[in-house]
Amino acid sequence: GSIFHGFSFGHPESISGEVVFNTGMVGYPESLTDPSYAGQILVITFPLIGNYGVPSDERDVLGLMKNFESDKIHLKAVVIQDYAFQPSHYTSARSLGTWLQEQGIPGIYGVDTRAVTKLIRTQGSTLGKLEIEGSMLAESFEFTDPNLQNLSAVVSRIAKQVFLPPPLEDGCANPEQEASSIANKDVHILAVDCGIKNNIIRYLVNILRVKLTLVPWDYDF
């Protein structure tokens, strides 16, 4: 196998998982909280990560995390090339490293992420281990394949939730919202949560203006 060396900036724990990559230039807070990355080690190809920090845990009118796709980080670890130790952005509430440590998620920087990406594109689906100095040695634990797990059970809500469109403020609604409020006032959608993202919920409820009932993956109909 291939070995890449880097420096730890997250939670100091060795882990294993499926290695995948993301080519986005921005949006790492959303990517890290995306339930679809559950069980995976995310390699971000854009070279500089952490420069705008991580926003607050503020919630929106629906009670959802305003700045994230779910309530927590779902991936196993993050691998980047260059890490910005001093973030600079008006929405920043903490650094990426601090956030990873709070959530118990390992992270390393100083890795040639594009070389890792080329390896994944050549080999296809790849399992990997992240060994952090002072934690478990890589040879002391097995590779973990998230595709052998019931990931829906891992990321799903455990209780039913109902979301209703919030009242439109006079002069603040856009034409799409106003038209949807009229056309969809009697529409009720049932969604089964197998890792639904917050922005999907927001679009259905705030933009399409429908009533949304969200149920766990194993809900008894």
Side-chain angles (χ1 to χ4, degrees), residues 71-149:
D71 283 354
K72 66 176 185 178
I73 299 176
H74 286 277
L75 49 74
K76 297 289 288 291
V78 60
V79 179
I80 63 176
Q81 182 171 325
D82 291 326
Y83 174 58
F85 285 89
Q86 296 294 331
S88 178
H89 196 273
Y90 73 97
T91 64
S92 178
R94 64 213 137 165
S95 69
L96 174 58
T98 298
W99 188 41
L100 291 176
Q101 291 166 19
E102 290 173 352
Q103 300 255 336
I105 305 297
I108 59 170
Y109 72 94
V111 177
D112 186 348
T113 54
R114 299 192 179 190
V116 179
T117 299
K118 288 177 68 175
L119 188 66
I120 298 171
R121 289 175 65 91
T122 302
Q123 295 186 176
S125 180
T126 303
L127 300 181
K129 296 180 181 181
L130 190 66
E131 180 185 322
I132 303 296
E133 185 176 357
S135 184
M136 294 184 294
L137 298 177
E139 57 266 24
S140 68
F141 59 97
E142 299 295 324
F143 285 100
T144 302
D145 186 352
N147 300 297
L148 301 179
Q149 298 177 267

Side-chain angles (χ1 to χ4, degrees), residues 182-198:
I182 297 171
N184 298 331
K185 62 183 179 66
D186 296 323
V187 176
H188 184 186
I189 291 178
L190 175 70
V192 180
D193 183 10
C194 294
I196 191 170
K197 295 190 284 189
N198 285 348

